[in-house]
Amino acid sequence: MTVTVRSRKSTAWAIPAYRYLLGSEAVSLAGSAVSAVALPSLAVLELRATAGQVATLAFLGQLPSTLALWAGALSDRHTKRFQLLVSDLVAAASLTTVPVAALAGVLTIGQLYGVTLAVGAARMVRDAAAISLLPAVVAPNLLHDANSRLGASSSVADSAGSNVGAALVGAVGAARSVLVDVASFLASAVLVWRIRVPEPHTPPVEANKRRGLTADMTAGVRYVAGQPTIRTVIAALAVLSFGLALMNTFWAYYLLVPA
């Protein structure tokens, strides 16, 4: 009955659950873009981090990407909405420790490393769950429209978040700016909570345990390897990510440290 109702919608935007999901993605991404500016700035301006420490911070921000296969397999074993909620709350809690520690005067570069890893891992689990949830939110004939809108809103949110982050760092300081990302994850959690759709059937826990995450990840790799289009997209994204990682490693250090 639910699928029949969704299939009559002319666009994905007409579906309330999709609007909540899109809003959740946009607000969390915008907040993360603020932190992407604030955390390196905090390391350089407040902690006087060296170039090597800033490079390590950037590296740790990319490291959770290695969990992509694991996160994808995990998303098939548990309810996606639950994973989205937990990921948002874990990220918010981790980020909250940064301004608190800064206010107390005990913030260290090691804490920034840990927070960056925790938020990156939560984000990876979140992204996998969101992608897996989308087919349950919209009918198959609306997936193209839904993905297009998600891509457009993500681009706008990322760009806007970066600009807002730079303005906030200058206006209220890097540590306080992180609170915007905390608020974004909490807002995202509220939006996810309002999503009410039946999720795709997941195999019983006992069957999942017998099969194991490794088997699921192997099956995923084999599927991707057999799809030329997906292989090309992944290769392109890998090259792009490599270039962005090089740029992000030193931009904060060389822009913020006086010559």
Side-chain angles (χ1 to χ4, degrees):
M1 184 66 175
T2 304
V3 175
T4 302
V5 172
R6 287 204 307 269
S7 65
R8 293 175 181 171
K9 303 293 186 180
S10 58
T11 65
W13 183 253
I15 303 171
Y18 174 74
R19 294 198 296 270
Y20 293 137
L21 180 61
L22 185 146
S24 169
E25 289 290 290
V27 72
S28 65
L29 185 58
S32 295
V34 171
S35 283
V37 175
L39 291 181
S41 300
L42 183 59
V44 173
L45 297 176
E46 303 294 333
L47 301 180
R48 306 302 179 195
T50 65
Q53 289 173 325
V54 173
T56 300
L57 187 64
F59 168 74
L60 293 176
Q62 297 293 325
L63 188 60
S65 297
T66 59
L67 298 174
L69 288 173
W70 174 83
L74 185 69
S75 70
D76 289 334
R77 291 167 168 254
H78 304 284
T79 57
K80 284 71 174 173
R81 184 165 161 269
F82 174 77
Q83 292 179 66
L84 288 169
L85 284 170
V86 171
S87 298
D88 282 339
L89 295 178
V90 167
S94 300
L95 287 164
T96 300
T97 66
V98 173
V100 170
L103 182 64
V106 296
L107 182 65
T108 64
I109 190 66
Q111 181 177 344
L112 288 187
Y113 290 163
V115 169
T116 298
L117 277 173
V119 174
R123 186 88 213 179
M124 189 56 57
V125 172
R126 190 189 192 289
D127 289 346
I131 292 172
S132 301
L133 180 61
L134 186 59
V137 175
V138 302
N141 64 303
L142 296 179
L143 279 175
H144 178 74
D145 177 61
N147 279 307
S148 297
R149 292 173 184 272
L150 278 172
S153 65
S154 295
S155 297
V156 172
D158 187 44
S159 179
S162 297
N163 288 301
V164 170
L168 284 172
V169 169
V172 301
R176 291 185 179 89
S177 299
V178 176
L179 290 173
V180 173
D181 199 7
V182 174
S184 76
F185 277 113
L186 293 177
S188 173
V190 172
L191 290 169
V192 170
W193 181 258
R194 301 192 67 178
I195 296 175
R196 292 289 189 273
V197 292
E199 295 192 21
H201 173 72
T202 56
V205 175
E206 293 77 12
N208 281 327
K209 287 182 178 179
R210 288 196 299 269
R211 186 172 63 242
L213 280 172
T214 302
D216 284 348
M217 290 187 287
T218 301
V221 171
R222 288 175 178 169
Y223 176 80
V224 170
Q227 301 293 321
T229 301
I230 297 178
R231 287 202 313 267
T232 302
V233 171
I234 290 178
L237 290 175
V239 173
L240 176 62
S241 296
F242 180 77
L244 290 175
L246 290 176
M247 180 187 72
N248 291 337
T249 298
F250 292 112
W251 73 263
Y253 188 80
Y254 285 111
L255 284 177
L256 299 174
V257 176

